Amino acid sequence: EVQLEESGGGSVHAGGSLRLSCTVSGLTLDNWAIGWFRQVPGMEREAVSCISTSGGKTYYSDSVKGRFTISAATDTNAVELQMNDLQPGDTAVYFCAAAQRSVLYIWNVPGAWPYWGQGTQVTVSS
């Protein structure tokens, strides 16, 4: 059974940083993609970033490019999202998701990802 667990959420002031971690079990990270999404109550789930664990190609939404960095540690089966220069608009519940590499063509479509974690809250105050 594939399971994903997020950690590292919290509250920071604008300009601060947080590092989220997604620990994956039930699969080895070879040949998979791991994505990060976020959701504000009442809004659609939004793609943030993803990484191909084979080759390490990364993808970012325009809203976080240059501020967030995604990385994978295959020895620990974990994917991290380093978030710098956080702004109030980044406040959301952040979810990680897993899918086979074919998802990369449509990585920003939440419905294309079959496996999800429970989410972790990130709150950024001004």
Side-chain angles (χ1 to χ4, degrees), residues 20-104:
L20 304 183
S21 182
C22 175
T23 302
V24 184
S25 61
L27 60 86
T28 54
L29 286 183
D30 293 343
N31 216 34
W32 284 74
I34 304 295
W36 284 97
F37 294 77
R38 64 188 182 188
Q39 189 168 23
V40 174
M43 302 291 285
E44 296 286 325
R45 193 164 292 190
E46 175 192 14
V48 174
S49 180
C50 84
I51 187 167
S52 168
T53 59
S54 298
K57 188 170 176 60
T58 58
Y59 303 77
Y60 298 95
S61 67
D62 288 343
S63 61
V64 306
K65 200 173 295 182
R67 299 188 298 125
F68 291 11
T69 303
I70 191 170
S71 60
T74 53
D75 56 340
T76 58
N77 245 35
V79 170
E80 296 188 331
L81 185 69
Q82 176 67 40
M83 305 186 296
N84 298 329
D85 190 25
L86 283 161
Q87 300 299 317
D90 296 315
T91 295
V93 177
Y94 283 70
F95 300 87
C96 64
Q100 295 195 333
R101 286 182 70 241
S102 56
V103 80
L104 295 175

